[in-house]
Amino acid sequence: SRFETCWPALMKDSHGVIIIFNPELPSHMKEIEMWYSCFVQQQPLLDSQCLLVAHHKPGSAGDTENLSLAYPLNKLKLIHSNLEEDPEDVRMEFIKYFRSIITIMNESREREEMSIIS
């Protein structure tokens, strides 16, 4: 990708990664493996710091709801977003995700403070 040179700057000090993809495009299924590898595994971030969002366009086939992803993507939290049907659902999932990231950040800061003290 032509933006690959920017990736290190994007990744620096990041605490979470949200990958949004179109589950109806086979090419996206391959690409999300690459994004996961670069932005999560190589950082390294915990799987709990990554959120996958399968975004369904209005009027798209809904049978991708039972999307089965291959390892290691199947370990990640996956939400389906369909802003026509249930925008509130998606909002609640985002809030849960951000809360979990804040918890992880607080825990790692406490660990750092403890290591400085001891």
Side-chain angles (χ1 to χ4, degrees):
S1 141
R2 59 187 170 191
F3 297 116
E4 267 177 66
T5 50
C6 309
W7 287 2
L10 283 173
M11 289 190 260
K12 187 178 175 347
D13 300 329
S14 65
H15 295 286
V17 174
I18 298 173
I19 300 172
I20 301 172
F21 65 100
N22 182 342
E24 291 171 41
L25 292 181
S27 62
H28 274 204
M29 306 312 285
K30 273 277 153 265
E31 279 174 38
I32 56 177
E33 287 178 28
M34 189 242 341
W35 292 110
Y36 171 74
S37 166
C38 294
F39 281 84
V40 181
Q41 288 179 311
Q42 289 172 32
Q43 283 238 63
L45 291 177
L46 301 169
D47 284 341
S48 55
Q49 287 168 279
C50 182
L51 178 66
L52 284 182
V53 181
H55 184 63
H56 301 271
K57 290 183 174 166
S60 64
D63 60 341
T64 41
E65 283 282 334
N66 46 25
L67 191 63
S68 58
L69 296 170
Y71 181 87
L73 297 173
N74 60 3
K75 300 182 298 171
L76 305 175
K77 171 88 175 140
L78 168 68
I79 66 170
H80 291 270
S81 78
N82 183 331
L83 299 180
E84 268 191 330
E85 285 172 26
D86 46 19
E88 191 54 29
D89 243 24
V90 176
R91 201 174 73 88
M92 290 311 296
E93 288 292 352
F94 270 99
I95 290 170
K96 271 196 281 191
Y97 170 70
F98 289 125
R99 279 197 187 127
S100 71
I101 294 295
I102 290 165
T103 304
I104 290 167
M105 286 165 63
N106 288 341
E107 283 169 359
S108 71
R109 193 174 62 230
E110 281 166 22
R111 273 197 304 273
E112 277 169 30
E113 287 168 2
M114 289 310 289
S115 67
I116 293 166
I117 295 165
S118 53

